[in-house]
Amino acid sequence: MELAYIPSPSHGVLYLGPVPLRAYAFCIIIGVFLAVWLGNKRWVARGGRPGTVADIAVWAVPFGLVGGRLYHVITDYELYFSPGRNWVDAFKVWEGGLGIWGAIALGAVGAWIGARRMGVALPAYADAVAPGIAFAQAVGRWGNWFNQELYGHETHLPWALHITSSEGGRVPGYYHPTFLYESLWCVGVGFLVIWADRRFKLGHGRAFALYVAAYCSGRAWIEYMRVDDAHHILGVRLNVWTAIVVFLLAVTYLVLSARRRPGREAVVERGVSDGSAEGEADAGDDSAEQADKADKAEKAEDGAKADLTKGAEPEAAATEPDPESETDAKAGLKDTAESGKKG
């Protein structure tokens, strides 16, 4: 008797009348909103405008969804194009099957288009949204739980996942919940990027590269545990090789970028700094105008002082004693004194 396990939902679809509400799709949507919300907060903190992250996401998200689906269909083409399969199922994204590698690759193309239209530095944008993408992946993985997919080897650990569906070749039983392992790993990656970005002031795409490297290091061992059908190269699952290669590329970028372009971008969005410059120019014009007015006032004050000085000179001259008058007065006093002596 199993003492504990993680139960699987009996179904992953709720119907609102004839409209199906699929849990997998809701997990993806919630993840996107979380990534945009956090990315916007980080973007504004870096000096960008509010709303820019959402405007670029309008391009990045659709491209990412198409890229994720393309990667899944190409790498698991036998699920849709082999005998007995219906190729129309390749368009049924709601049934699961989004490859993160294709989602990030083609999503970056969409972000590049949006960034160019907005006058935004793409590496800085990638740094801002990196932890949000990790958290979005953490939420999105719960869509796999609703679909009872992407589980690992059989186990009887207390946190084993109980698979009850037998569709698509599933065998009911207790398995490693690899969806949960990856979800928790992505949460850790998101917080790691936030901490490292604050601690080391990562810029020029290095925060995004750290996210990629950290995610790949976890995805490799989690992917190795999975038991769903996958292509193998030298006995190793294709996605394990992909994780190793992408990890090495991300680390290489981290090292080279830190050497060639240390520090962080001073300007992340065109127009924000220009507006500041215009404000400074206006302030400079006002200061010059005020200085000119002060100079004119000072000159006027000097002129007034000069006029007062000129008006005071005649008065000073009138009160100044005449040397000749002073001499005559002294002579008169002398004559008077001599007369007195004679008398």
Side-chain angles (χ1 to χ4, degrees), residues 117-278:
R117 292 171 61 90
M118 297 293 296
V120 165
L122 181 60
Y125 177 83
D127 286 340
V129 300
I133 294 176
F135 292 137
Q137 288 179 252
V139 175
R141 276 306 177 200
W142 284 87
N144 302 131
W145 176 63
F146 282 100
N147 287 353
Q148 296 198 38
E149 59 185 0
L150 307 188
Y151 46 86
H153 297 283
E154 189 173 5
T155 183
H156 295 285
L157 291 171
W159 56 85
L161 175 65
H162 187 198
I163 297 297
T164 58
S165 175
S166 57
E167 296 181 2
R170 298 182 183 89
V171 177
Y174 299 90
Y175 300 90
H176 277 286
T178 52
F179 86 92
L180 178 61
Y181 298 161
E182 186 168 341
S183 179
L184 294 176
W185 184 268
C186 288
V187 170
V189 169
F191 283 116
L192 171 66
V193 174
I194 292 174
W195 170 82
D197 193 26
R198 291 177 178 175
R199 175 67 177 81
F200 302 106
K201 303 297 182 184
L202 301 176
H204 301 286
R206 288 189 288 277
F208 185 81
L210 175 62
Y211 146 72
V212 172
Y215 171 74
C216 289
S217 63
R219 177 62 185 267
W221 65 266
I222 295 171
E223 180 74 22
Y224 191 77
M225 295 179 65
R226 283 166 47 173
V227 295
D228 52 298
D229 293 333
H231 293 284
H232 289 70
I233 299 176
L234 300 177
V236 179
R237 292 170 66 95
L238 173 62
N239 282 333
V240 175
W241 285 112
T242 304
I244 293 173
V245 172
V246 176
F247 170 83
L248 293 175
L249 291 174
V251 172
T252 301
Y253 179 86
L254 268 171
V255 174
L256 295 180
S257 176
R259 290 179 180 177
R260 295 178 179 178
R261 307 187 70 182
R264 178 183 280 181
E265 299 92 339
V267 178
V268 296
E269 185 170 358
R270 186 178 61 199
V272 176
S273 60
D274 294 341
S276 300
E278 290 175 0

Side-chain angles (χ1 to χ4, degrees), residues 324-341:
E324 296 181 358
S325 300
E326 187 177 355
T327 303
D328 294 341
K330 289 180 179 179
L333 290 173
K334 186 177 180 181
D335 294 339
T336 304
E338 290 178 354
S339 300
K341 287 179 180 179

Side-chain angles (χ1 to χ4, degrees), residues 303-316:
K305 289 181 180 179
D307 293 339
L308 290 173
T309 303
K310 291 179 181 178
E313 285 177 357
E315 182 180 353

